[in-house]
């Protein structure tokens, strides 16, 4: 692992540690500070980043073949974890969102804080450009899909709890909750804005860019705050399982599909595999907190996978060099 990537990993962990210390010392006034940070990220900073990103994507220039080599296996893994969790035991009541939360935690990587310096350090400007292409639609694809799945599960739970309720009213409620969502809505609005060929006024673009800059440090501090609130006791076993899927199974699936299915080799193959091998990102925690499900387990998965990345990343790099 290069010095640049190592320094980035340490900086990430130190920022999380500051959030943890702040949570333990009550720097932010009260125990529910994590909820305040999460709400700010979910309803203000992340929507600003998503809208600005999707409104500026050059859709006609996207390398759909290379993107398919990444997202086909990623979608297969996220759906596989979701289905396995649905079948593990019947989910009802407060547990209804468990499959979606675990599926997202097992597949949504830290593509910005860790991924960008990793791609730049290992593969230069060309590799960074390819990685940024993945980043540009990473949240759009994975978060939109998992939001649809969890809202469908919640709609089914409402029908189970209220047998006399109209199917159409439940369907309308599900669609409304899916579309008017702090992740999905800005993505759709940005894509429509993009498709219409519109340009953001300079002052508005600068405002959204400024808000987007806060996403990374805010989410890292949020992880530390949540860690101070929930701790790791009793959550390491499920966290290890999620980390194993994220650090081992997902990159292995991307490697197999990209190399054998799409015929990729060299730098493009390496960029895709290392993007898949990144640790769990912060968005699964915000997703878990929105649905009040497995917040502590998701925090544990982020911490465990980030520490584990220091061990698994060199192994993936050695394997890719042999290929």
């Amino acid at each position: 692992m290069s010095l640049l990537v190592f320094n980035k990993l340490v900086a990430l962990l130190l920022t999380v540690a500051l959030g943890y210390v702040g949570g333990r010392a009550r720097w932010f006034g009260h125990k529910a500070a994590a909820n305040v940070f999460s709400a700010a990220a979910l309803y203000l900073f992340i929507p600003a980043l998503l809208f600005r990103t999707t409104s500026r994507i050059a859709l006609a220039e996207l390398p759909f073949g290379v993107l398919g080599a990444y997202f086909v296996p990623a979608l297969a893994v996220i759906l596989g974890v979701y289905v396995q969790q649905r079948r593990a035991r019947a989910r009802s009541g407060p547990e209804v969102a468990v499959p979606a939360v675990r599926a997202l935690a097992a597949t949504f990587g830290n593509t910005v804080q860790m991924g960008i310096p990793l791609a730049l350090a290992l593969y230069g400007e060309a590799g960074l450009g390819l990685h940024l292409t993945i980043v540009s639609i990473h949240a759009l694809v994975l978060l939109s899909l998992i939001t649809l799945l969890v809202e469908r599960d919640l709609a089914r739970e409402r029908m189970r709890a209220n047998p006399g309720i109209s199917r159409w009213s439940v369907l309308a409620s599900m669609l409304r909750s899916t579309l008017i969502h702090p992740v999905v809505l800005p993505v759709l609005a940005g894509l429509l804005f993009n498709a219409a060929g519109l340009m953001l006024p300079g002052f508005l673009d600068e405002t959204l860019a400024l808000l987007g800059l806060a996403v990374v440090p805010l989410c890292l501090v949020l992880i530390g705050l949540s860690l101070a609130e929930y701790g790791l006791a009793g959550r390491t076993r499920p966290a290890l399982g999620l980390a194993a899927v994220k650090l081992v199974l997902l990159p292995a699936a991307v490697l197999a599909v990209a190399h054998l299915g799409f015929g990729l080799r060299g730098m493009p193959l390496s960029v895709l595999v290392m993007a898949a091998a990144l640790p769990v990102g912060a968005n699964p925690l915000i997703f878990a907190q929105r649905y009040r499900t497995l917040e502590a387990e998701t925090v544990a998965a982020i911490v465990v996978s980030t520490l584990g990345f220091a061990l698994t990343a060199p192994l993936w790099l050695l394997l890719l060099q042999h290929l």
Side-chain angles (χ1 to χ4, degrees):
M1 186 180 294
S2 71
L3 181 61
L4 176 61
V5 175
F6 174 79
N7 288 339
K8 197 69 176 180
L9 180 61
V10 173
L12 186 153
L13 292 173
L14 285 176
T15 307
V16 171
L18 286 173
Y20 176 81
V21 172
R24 298 289 293 181
R26 298 287 187 267
W27 288 350
F28 308 105
H30 52 81
K31 188 177 180 180
N35 294 333
V36 176
F37 275 64
S38 178
L42 184 63
Y43 292 101
L44 179 59
F45 297 104
I46 289 177
L49 176 64
L50 291 175
F51 178 82
R52 184 173 185 268
T53 300
T54 52
S55 69
R56 294 158 60 94
I57 294 175
L59 296 173
E61 299 176 9
L62 290 177
F64 289 103
V66 176
L67 291 174
Y70 181 88
F71 285 104
V72 167
L75 291 175
V77 171
I78 197 172
L79 290 173
V81 173
Y82 171 80
V83 171
Q84 185 274 328
Q85 287 294 311
R86 283 286 305 270
R87 291 178 175 175
R89 66 178 188 269
R91 306 289 186 182
S92 60
E95 288 193 331
V96 72
V98 166
V101 170
R102 282 184 171 155
L104 186 65
T107 51
F108 197 100
N110 190 340
T111 55
V112 176
Q113 299 102 307
M114 282 303 303
I116 289 176
L118 179 73
L120 181 60
L122 296 177
Y123 308 111
E125 292 292 335
L128 177 62
L130 181 54
H131 178 80
L132 289 175
T133 303
I134 297 171
V135 172
S136 68
I137 63 171
H138 186 245
L140 165 64
V141 174
L142 298 184
L143 282 173
S144 298
L145 171 64
I146 212 66
T147 298
L148 177 62
L149 291 175
V150 74
E151 291 297 339
R152 186 193 65 167
D153 289 342
L154 290 170
R156 287 180 172 178
E157 176 64 14
R158 285 194 292 272
M159 291 182 65
R160 187 197 66 80
N162 303 280
I165 195 171
S166 166
R167 284 181 174 270
W168 290 110
S169 65
V170 172
L171 178 61
S173 175
M174 182 194 80
L175 291 175
R176 183 170 58 253
S177 298
T178 302
L179 295 175
I180 305 175
H181 187 281
V183 169
V184 177
L185 186 60
V187 167
L188 293 177
L191 290 175
L192 289 174
F193 193 89
N194 190 324
L198 301 175
M199 294 289 292
L200 287 170
F203 70 92
L204 184 56
D205 184 64
E206 287 295 327
T207 302
L208 294 177
L210 186 62
L211 291 171
L213 288 175
V215 170
V216 170
L218 181 66
C219 289
L220 292 176
V221 172
L222 172 60
I223 293 169
L225 280 171
S226 301
L227 184 61
E229 180 175 346
Y230 304 118
L232 292 177
R235 283 102 183 184
T236 52
R237 184 173 179 180
L240 284 170
L242 294 173
V245 174
K246 184 66 194 69
L247 299 176
V248 180
L249 179 59
L250 180 59
V254 170
L255 174 60
V257 172
H259 186 53
L260 301 177
F262 286 78
L264 294 184
R265 290 176 174 79
M267 186 269 289
L269 177 65
S270 296
V271 170
L272 265 60
V273 172
M274 294 311 298
L278 292 166
V280 181
N283 276 300
L285 172 60
I286 296 170
F287 185 85
Q289 289 177 328
R290 172 176 172 80
Y291 293 101
R292 301 178 184 273
T293 302
L294 300 182
E295 297 101 316
E297 181 181 304
T298 306
V299 172
I302 293 171
V303 174
V304 169
S305 66
T306 301
L307 294 173
F309 179 71
L311 301 176
T312 57
L315 298 177
W316 283 115
L317 290 171
L318 285 174
L319 177 60
L320 290 166
Q321 285 177 357
H322 284 298
L323 289 177

